[in-house]
Amino acid sequence: MMAQIPKGGPIVWPILGILGVALVIIVERILFFTTRRTDPEKLMKTVNDFVIARDWDGCRKFLQSFKNSFTPQVLLTALDFRDRTREDMENALQEAILGKIPEIERFLSTLGMLAAIAPLLGLLGTVTGMINTFHVITCFGTKDPRMMAGGISEALVTTMLGLCVAIPIMMVHTLLSRRVETQISQMEEKSVAFVNMIFKNRVK
């Protein structure tokens, strides 16, 4: 494929530019989620021990130790509302979750847009390549097929390259979208569990 790329004409370079931008975004997102990974079950077990012991300072320090993780940061917000009503705690947690969503979803729409643009650029290259081919046929006829080869190569190479770029980007976009949904669901689930822990302990 690398040998065919120069035959694709000028449309090839924007497609390759899309590939480069997409790779940067993908690497950034992978590092983003990798550095913020936590074991939610282990986290909640430790938090529950602090809540049962009413060790709020210890609980706060423990949650603050997860500087880059989303769920601990969201739970940390609710500690200041532990003596308020359930509704106040739930509202505070929901506000904290909504505040984290833009950071979690960052660049996701851009990646989807790049996946949509790449095949369209390939189609544009196909159209320009066929226009060049018909121009050659108009000027020189069809006696020498080699004169038409340039336009046909441009038409086929850009389509191939556009699809080869778009398909992996779409796959990664789907996987990242699933990861975002999982992260948001995890924050919501653990927030409800945290509220239940506090109010169960308060009753006691």
Side-chain angles (χ1 to χ4, degrees):
M1 188 176 70
M2 295 299 296
Q4 297 296 323
I5 286 177
K7 300 178 183 179
I11 302 297
V12 162
W13 304 113
I15 297 176
L16 292 178
I18 286 176
L19 176 61
V21 173
L23 287 175
V24 171
I25 292 175
I26 290 169
V27 171
E28 190 275 338
R29 289 288 87 188
I30 291 174
L31 292 175
F32 177 82
F33 285 115
T34 300
T35 55
R36 287 160 176 78
R37 182 179 300 172
T38 55
D39 185 347
E41 302 306 324
K42 185 177 179 181
L43 172 72
M44 296 307 294
K45 184 179 183 301
T46 305
V47 168
N48 188 45
D49 293 338
F50 282 115
V51 172
I52 292 174
R54 293 180 177 271
D55 184 3
W56 305 117
D57 290 335
C59 185
R60 184 183 300 276
K61 291 178 181 178
F62 174 70
L63 292 174
Q64 288 175 342
S65 65
F66 297 89
K67 296 181 180 179
N68 296 323
S69 300
F70 293 113
T71 302
Q73 290 176 1
V74 169
L75 298 183
L76 189 61
T77 305
L79 279 180
D80 295 330
F81 294 83
R82 64 181 182 273
D83 296 324
R84 305 278 190 88
T85 64
R86 176 183 286 269
E87 184 179 358
D88 289 338
M89 285 193 66
E90 290 176 348
N91 289 338
L93 286 166
Q94 188 63 33
E95 183 179 354
I97 292 172
L98 291 175
K100 296 296 181 184
I101 289 178
E103 186 179 359
I104 297 173
E105 293 181 341
R106 187 174 55 186
F107 299 134
L108 199 62
S109 59
T110 302
L111 202 61
M113 180 186 66
L114 294 177
I117 290 176
L120 292 178
L121 283 175
L123 180 61
L124 177 61
T126 299
V127 172
T128 57
M130 295 307 297
I131 289 173
N132 292 336
T133 301
F134 286 121
H135 180 70
V136 170
I137 291 174
T138 301
C139 295
F140 303 101
T142 59
K143 295 180 181 180
D144 189 356
R146 289 177 297 179
M147 298 185 67
M148 299 182 292
I152 296 174
S153 295
E154 181 178 341
L156 297 178
V157 168
T158 52
T159 302
M160 175 193 68
L161 186 61
L163 292 174
C164 288
V165 169
I167 291 172
I169 294 177
M170 291 179 66
M171 292 176 61
V172 176
H173 177 266
T174 301
L175 293 174
L176 287 176
S177 298
R178 179 59 181 166
R179 182 68 184 86
V180 167
E181 292 173 3
T182 301
Q183 182 64 63
I184 295 173
S185 298
Q186 182 185 109
M187 289 191 297
E188 292 175 344
E189 177 190 352
K190 302 312 177 187
S191 294
V192 173
F194 186 64
V195 172
N196 291 336
M197 285 179 191
I198 290 181
F199 276 85
K200 181 179 178 182
N201 185 66
R202 182 186 293 182
V203 170
K204 291 180 179 180

